[in-house]
Amino acid sequence: APEPVAPPSNPEGAAAVIAEPVMPRAMVSTGTDYTMDGLPAQVITLLADAGMSDGSAVATAMTASPSPTAMPGVGLASSPEALADCMKRLGLAPGSVPLVLDTATIDGREGSVIVTASQLDLAGQPASLHVVAVGQACTDDDVVAARHWDLPLR
């Protein structure tokens, strides 16, 4: 199983940039109790259930229009602005497309799993995904405790 990775570096001055609101391509509330040990395999199942099991499906999702529905969740899942702010504070690159946002539990605590495409191949197709497990409120403590993984796409 992939080991957690360090969060992406956040360049100096990035905190002053206002994050553009973002809508996830798929927003679900699976009720999954993600565990740190099992999360990579659990995310593969999540992606398959969302119809994003391979690179071409992820590429299609990246260019699709996000669902125009409101975000009915709480914390980072309460609005496109809240999600964008949380992603920025987690160090995710500006312009990152949230492919899937799953409101669930992480080691028994309320949280969300955010899946973005992290690397593109030479043809511009997604080569790997970046997954973050973070507390639902996305407080400063949640951001510090967040766990990051890079998962290769098949």
Side-chain angles (χ1 to χ4, degrees):
E3 291 294 314
V5 296
S9 62
N10 198 2
E12 288 299 317
V17 175
I18 303 293
E20 287 291 320
V22 292
M23 282 293 287
R25 296 307 184 257
M27 184 169 168
V28 295
S29 184
T30 62
T32 300
D33 184 16
Y34 290 97
T35 62
M36 290 302 165
D37 291 339
L39 193 133
Q42 290 170 306
V43 167
I44 290 168
T45 300
L46 172 68
L47 290 169
D49 290 347
M52 298 181 212
S53 58
D54 61 32
S56 65
V58 168
T60 299
M62 286 177 64
T63 58
S65 296
S67 169
T69 60
M71 293 175 65
V74 297
L76 67 95
S78 64
S79 71
E81 294 80 10
L83 178 58
D85 178 68
C86 184
M87 289 174 60
K88 179 183 73 150
R89 293 189 308 111
L90 287 164
L92 300 181
S96 292
V97 175
L99 298 169
V100 181
L101 173 65
D102 184 11
T103 304
T105 58
I106 301 162
D107 286 332
R109 295 184 59 230
E110 284 188 9
S112 280
V113 170
I114 304 168
V115 181
T116 63
S118 60
Q119 294 179 346
L120 302 180
D121 64 18
L122 296 175
Q125 298 295 306
S128 68
L129 299 174
H130 189 76
V131 179
V132 183
V134 63
Q136 193 59 34
C138 200
T139 63
D140 289 343
D141 288 343
D142 290 335
V143 169
V144 169
R147 302 289 293 271
H148 296 254
W149 286 266
D150 286 319
L151 298 178
L153 267 172
R154 292 175 176 75

